[in-house]
Amino acid sequence: MAQFKPSHSPMCNYFFLYDGSKVTGEADPTRDGICYFYPEETPLDKQELLCGQLAGVGRCVSELSSSPVRTLRLRHNKFAICMKDNFFWALGCPVEVPTVSVCDLLDQLIDLFCFYNGPVHQCYQLNSQEVLAARWARYLSHLQSGSSRLNHVFSCLRTIDSTNVDPLLLLKAALILQACQRCPLVLAGCILFRGRVVSTQMSPELTMKVMVHESEKYTKVGAETQRPNGTGTSSLFGSAVSSTTVFLTGSELECLRSAPVGKSFSSAARKDDAPTMKTRLSRTLSDTPSIESETSNPSPSQSPLKVSFSPNLSESSNSMFSPAPSQSTPVSLNHSPPSLMPASPNGKSSLEAREQALNGGVSHGIEGMQEAGSVIEEAIRASSGEGACGMRFDSKGDDYISEMLHERQLLLEDNIDSHRSDEDQKEDDRDPIPPLPPRLSNSSEENPLTAMTLYTHRVNSLVLALLVEPHFMTDTAATEEVYHSSLASLNGLEAHLRTIPPATPGVLGPYVFAHFDCIQSTLTTNLSGRSGGAQDPFIRATSLLHSHFYNTETLQEAIIRSASAAFYGTRSVAQETFFQQCGGSQRNSGIPNHQDSAFSLPSKARHRLLKHGVNLL
């Protein structure tokens, strides 16, 4: 197989997209299937050689192994491979780059292209290769620029240095985003300052995609010439506000539209007289209402009510309960029934109250289920002559319980028609529901993409980016509300952040560390801003340990010892931490000895990193 060694050594040495549907016969030239190749100055015959060999080997191995190829390794480069339908992507990096980092970079590049352009197959049907080649080059340049070598190893977000920022400013940024979410058309957002994240409500993957639009929208060349495809400005607010169409996967859209804990989506079927819940602004807090349960103290001669509810009930399931044995522990309900059905003097329950409770069960889900349970409980008490006294569910009452359940089902069937007619009448009085955003099926139709809108509001070096519904920009009231409610706060936040001096690299201390947060995809290190060969051994050791942690799930701690240095790495589900003690003794280096200073690295890392906010205890 051909070997190529580029003259330069960036993070990515090669990247190409090959369309196999354009090369079906032996006489078809390979160059017809090359959609994009990086570096673009590579001679065409070398492009054909590399694309043809990698695509042929990748598809051959996939057919023989019945599994997709993920990586291919040459002498000087390792290639991350992605095959989808007739398209073949390959991204080559130096062999010292961790394999997991190379694969992550390729996935980020493909997802980034689909985020701004939609499905790849449809893009090449609607646009020329020259236009799309410029976009591939822009996205690849963004992923490689402005990051240190450690950032490339972990594929992490570029965040603002919080050590020099007042925490109140970070809180203010979070409150701005929460205030924007008061508009129901706003899904989530983030605030960026000079290409770095100040605060975000989105996942790290979505935040990284949004940062590309912010960095490319305004450049030193000029906003008009560097405006990305599909971007438009708002005539109401000038060039400070703009929007562009983006495409989200089903999982991303579901995550953005997910409600806080306890928030119901069935507002359209909720009754007008239903009690309203007090919701909080933050989507990370629970909106579960606080209702104290009302319990009664039965007399010693009376047996408490013992009811065992099924733990796997859903809002769409029917109300079900099972009698518990007499020796079981009494279960106290967290929510008291909104209304109990009064008993008539002859011992029979009121039909109107029963219908009201059952009707509430249709519209209120689980709360209605508790109401229906209280209806049956009261009916059993009334017909047995015990009134409001507690009773024990035992085997003697099984037949009566079955009869009451059958009666409840009949009442549900009688009331369902009237309930639906009432809801239909209310639907006529409501505002028309906005149309759903258009869906674009991917080439494999496994992950359909949904068109949404990215709204950006720029104040000098500060950018507010919001993912909104497609009809947000046509809703003048919603746009003005978001713009005017955040304008003053953004100006104040930008004025304070502008006065903070950039972080300057200090003198290298007695230790070097790197802490990667796997959940937030952020990196904390004391190597920021430093360059040169002093950090090369630490970066190589970190890359090696990071690869071992990824490939070996049971590995939690590791120590690497060379003749001149020792490195310690530890990982958990949420974080990875790497530590090196500088200037250590070289005695017994490379020889297993309990007196070697390398074995004291874990305790030193735990104590020294506490002042950096890293807790390894």
Side-chain angles (χ1 to χ4, degrees), residues 3-308:
Q3 301 288 338
F4 302 111
K5 187 171 182 179
S7 58
H8 56 286
S9 57
M11 169 68 177
C12 173
N13 291 339
Y14 295 102
F15 169 74
F16 66 84
L17 171 60
Y18 183 78
D19 187 0
S21 62
K22 297 182 179 180
V23 184
T24 56
E26 292 291 338
D28 296 335
T30 305
R31 64 187 62 183
D32 292 345
I34 300 177
C35 299
Y36 176 71
F37 193 97
Y38 169 86
E40 298 180 1
E41 60 271 12
T42 305
L44 188 57
D45 56 342
K46 292 185 178 181
Q47 294 184 21
E48 290 183 324
L49 184 60
L50 187 60
C51 292
Q53 290 187 357
L54 288 181
V57 171
R59 296 193 181 277
C60 178
V61 174
S62 298
E63 293 179 359
L64 293 177
S65 61
S66 299
S67 61
V69 174
R70 190 52 178 160
T71 56
L72 292 175
R73 180 163 178 168
L74 277 66
R75 183 182 302 173
H76 302 292
N77 296 276
K78 62 174 62 173
F79 286 84
I81 305 298
C82 179
M83 293 184 294
K84 196 170 186 178
D85 296 335
N86 294 318
F87 290 103
F88 183 93
W89 287 271
L91 187 143
C93 294
V95 292
E96 58 267 15
V97 179
T99 302
V100 56
S101 303
V102 181
C103 296
D104 288 344
L105 182 61
L106 178 59
D107 293 339
Q108 289 177 12
L109 186 57
I110 298 175
D111 293 342
L112 193 58
F113 182 89
C114 296
F115 180 74
Y116 287 104
N117 302 277
V120 179
H121 180 70
Q122 295 184 10
C123 287
Y124 277 91
Q125 290 179 342
L126 301 176
N127 302 275
S128 63
Q129 288 193 8
E130 292 75 12
V131 174
L132 297 179
R135 299 179 188 176
W136 282 114
R138 182 168 66 247
Y139 303 146
L140 184 60
S141 175
H142 171 80
L143 292 179
Q144 296 188 99
S145 63
S147 297
S148 63
R149 294 170 58 186
L150 277 178
N151 288 85
H152 289 314
V153 171
F154 296 103
S155 301
C156 57
L157 287 175
R158 296 192 291 269
T159 59
I160 192 172
D161 187 6
S162 59
T163 57
N164 298 328
V165 179
D166 189 349
L168 293 178
L169 294 179
L170 302 179
L171 177 60
K172 183 177 182 179
L175 293 177
I176 293 175
L177 295 176
Q178 290 183 356
C180 293
Q181 279 189 322
R182 293 174 183 171
C183 177
L185 301 181
V186 177
L187 301 180
C190 66
I191 295 179
L192 310 174
F193 181 72
R194 294 176 180 173
R196 295 184 175 272
V197 180
V198 178
S199 180
T200 182
Q201 295 173 321
M202 299 179 287
S203 63
E205 294 78 14
L206 273 179
T207 305
M208 190 175 299
K209 297 174 185 178
V210 171
M211 292 177 66
V212 178
H213 177 74
E214 185 275 332
S215 61
E216 293 295 333
K217 184 172 180 295
Y218 288 93
T219 61
K220 295 181 181 180
V221 179
E224 294 298 329
T225 58
Q226 298 294 323
R227 196 180 306 280
N229 181 66
T231 301
T233 59
S234 174
S235 59
L236 295 176
F237 314 110
S239 60
V241 175
S242 64
S243 64
T244 185
T245 302
V246 294
F247 301 89
L248 274 65
T249 63
S251 59
E252 292 173 342
L253 193 59
E254 182 181 0
C255 181
L256 291 175
R257 286 178 172 171
S258 60
V261 178
K263 183 177 180 181
S264 175
F265 278 97
S266 59
S267 59
R270 189 175 298 165
K271 287 194 171 184
D272 297 334
D273 56 349
T276 58
M277 294 169 51
K278 295 182 179 179
T279 58
R280 299 186 177 95
L281 290 177
S282 176
R283 296 198 175 193
T284 60
L285 298 178
S286 173
D287 289 339
T288 306
S290 176
I291 303 177
E292 296 183 357
S293 60
E294 298 177 1
T295 56
S296 59
N297 298 324
S299 61
S301 60
Q302 298 169 349
S303 300
L305 177 65
K306 297 180 174 65
V307 181
S308 175

Side-chain angles (χ1 to χ4, degrees), residues 390-409:
M391 65 173 295
R392 185 190 306 271
F393 283 174
D394 51 15
S395 58
K396 296 181 181 179
D398 290 345
D399 297 338
Y400 196 81
I401 293 174
S402 301
E403 181 181 352
M404 294 303 299
L405 286 175
H406 179 67
E407 181 182 356
R408 175 184 174 274
Q409 183 177 3

Side-chain angles (χ1 to χ4, degrees), residues 335-605:
H335 299 277
S336 61
S339 61
L340 292 177
M341 186 173 53
S344 59
N346 57 1
K348 295 183 178 180
S349 301
S350 173
L351 181 59
E352 291 78 8
R354 185 181 306 178
E355 291 178 353
Q356 180 181 1
L358 294 176
N359 196 16
V362 176
S363 60
H364 292 289
I366 300 300
E367 295 178 1
M369 179 188 65
Q370 296 178 355
E371 294 177 10
S374 64
V375 170
I376 298 178
E377 173 193 344
E378 186 67 17
I380 295 176
R381 293 175 179 175
S383 50
S384 61
E386 296 188 34
C389 298
M391 65 173 295
R392 185 190 306 271
F393 283 174
D394 51 15
S395 58
K396 296 181 181 179
D398 290 345
D399 297 338
Y400 196 81
I401 293 174
S402 301
E403 181 181 352
M404 294 303 299
L405 286 175
H406 179 67
E407 181 182 356
R408 175 184 174 274
Q409 183 177 3
L410 294 178
L411 288 173
L412 278 175
E413 295 175 356
D414 294 339
N415 288 276
I416 192 66
D417 295 333
S418 60
H419 176 76
R420 287 179 177 175
S421 61
D422 295 341
E423 293 298 328
D424 294 340
Q425 183 65 27
K426 293 179 181 179
E427 288 291 340
D428 297 337
D429 300 335
R430 294 192 185 99
D431 296 333
I433 300 176
L436 293 176
R439 283 180 173 269
L440 294 180
S441 59
N442 214 342
S443 54
S444 63
E445 297 185 357
E446 295 178 355
N447 296 318
L449 301 178
T450 304
M452 303 297 288
T453 300
L454 177 62
Y455 165 92
T456 56
H457 179 189
R458 171 174 287 271
V459 179
N460 296 329
S461 300
L462 189 71
V463 175
L464 170 66
L466 301 175
L467 285 174
V468 297
E469 299 288 349
H471 55 280
F472 173 79
M473 297 305 297
T474 59
D475 192 335
T476 306
T479 308
E480 291 181 349
E481 178 186 358
V482 171
Y483 176 82
H484 292 294
S485 62
S486 60
L487 179 60
S489 300
L490 290 175
N491 279 292
L493 181 61
E494 194 274 338
H496 284 88
L497 292 177
R498 189 175 58 233
T499 59
I500 299 176
T504 57
V507 181
L508 188 63
Y511 59 90
V512 180
F513 81 96
H515 176 74
F516 176 64
D517 190 324
C518 305
I519 306 300
Q520 299 181 1
S521 188
T522 57
L523 180 67
T524 304
T525 179
N526 58 351
L527 282 178
S528 301
R530 293 191 178 93
S531 60
Q535 59 180 349
D536 290 344
F538 179 77
I539 294 178
R540 288 197 299 267
T542 300
S543 302
L544 180 61
L545 289 175
H546 178 61
S547 299
H548 278 288
F549 285 150
Y550 180 81
N551 296 324
T552 309
E553 296 181 356
T554 57
L555 182 61
Q556 302 295 328
E557 289 182 306
I559 295 177
I560 298 179
R561 189 70 162 96
S562 66
S564 58
F567 306 89
Y568 168 72
T570 179
R571 73 98 175 259
S572 63
V573 178
Q575 63 185 12
E576 292 183 14
T577 306
F578 306 90
F579 181 83
Q580 176 192 4
Q581 181 74 32
C582 301
S585 174
Q586 299 185 12
R587 183 183 58 180
N588 297 325
S589 60
I591 302 175
N593 191 315
H594 68 279
Q595 296 181 350
D596 194 342
S597 59
F599 294 102
S600 63
L601 287 179
S603 60
K604 292 181 180 179

